[in-house]
Amino acid sequence: MQPRHPEHHLLSRAGWLRAAVLGANDGILSTASLIVGVAAADADRSAVLIAGIAGMVAGAMSMAAGEYVSVSSQSDTEEAELTRERAELAADPEGETQELAEIYVKRGLDPVLAAEVARQFMAADALEAHARDELGMNEITAARPVQAAFSSAASFAVGAALPLATVLIAPPASPPVTVSVAALAFLALLGVAGAKAGGSDPMKGAIRVTFWGALAMGLTYAIGTLSGQVL
């Protein structure tokens, strides 16, 4: 039977969208903050660019490594849970069927119907049924370490390239101001794009990232200015 209308759910985007938005946000914010801090210490354009490029490369690799390790840990936990569930299914299939039925009763099914649904799911694919309904695991939310690492590194590099490009076109005497304004604009656009892709409020997304971006760049500018006066 064909559905009357197609349904488009945004939850399937959750994994890669989180990694991509986080990477781009970090790329813009950390690189722009680094550039602003170094420029505020009266460094010349070459030094500012070198610091920015170094920050982009180091940050992209750090994001990739961090995402891979973090998501791999999640993947290991999921696999350990599935291994334990396989053993429980082999040792006590009747008990596991009853456990599944109790889950469905708690979700609102009649006990007789819940028992029948549990029995049919157990016959079709017992492990999948328990992974989905007992452990809350499914294909959409499954951990994908390589995908998360690549998304984070690539998006960080793209985000970091924006403030670096701004340095190249900015007047020599005004990198802190120009980069800060441009970075806040990029962050606002990213907040709107990420919110729209995830189906949430674009204004809230823009305000959130620009607030923290302004705070971070303000702090690094102050530190860079003080360092330039002291050193």
Side-chain angles (χ1 to χ4, degrees), residues 81-97 99 122 125-127 130 134:
E81 290 286 351
L82 290 176
T83 299
R84 183 170 62 182
E85 198 62 39
R86 287 189 190 96
E88 292 174 353
L89 286 167
D92 186 13
E94 289 301 321
E96 291 298 302
T97 302
E99 182 181 28
M122 289 287 289
D125 191 328
L127 183 61
H130 278 270
E134 181 185 352

Side-chain angles (χ1 to χ4, degrees), residues 125-201:
D125 191 328
L127 183 61
E128 180 184 359
H130 278 270
R132 180 186 63 244
D133 296 322
E134 181 185 352
L135 304 177
M137 296 165 54
N138 56 60
E139 182 63 24
I140 292 176
T141 59
R144 296 178 176 86
V146 174
Q147 182 188 65
F150 179 80
S151 296
S152 293
S155 57
F156 185 99
V158 170
L162 297 175
L164 280 172
T166 304
V167 174
L168 293 174
I169 63 176
S174 64
V177 175
T178 307
V179 171
S180 296
V181 172
L184 290 176
F186 294 143
L187 287 170
L189 289 174
L190 178 64
V192 170
K196 285 187 174 181
S200 58
D201 183 5

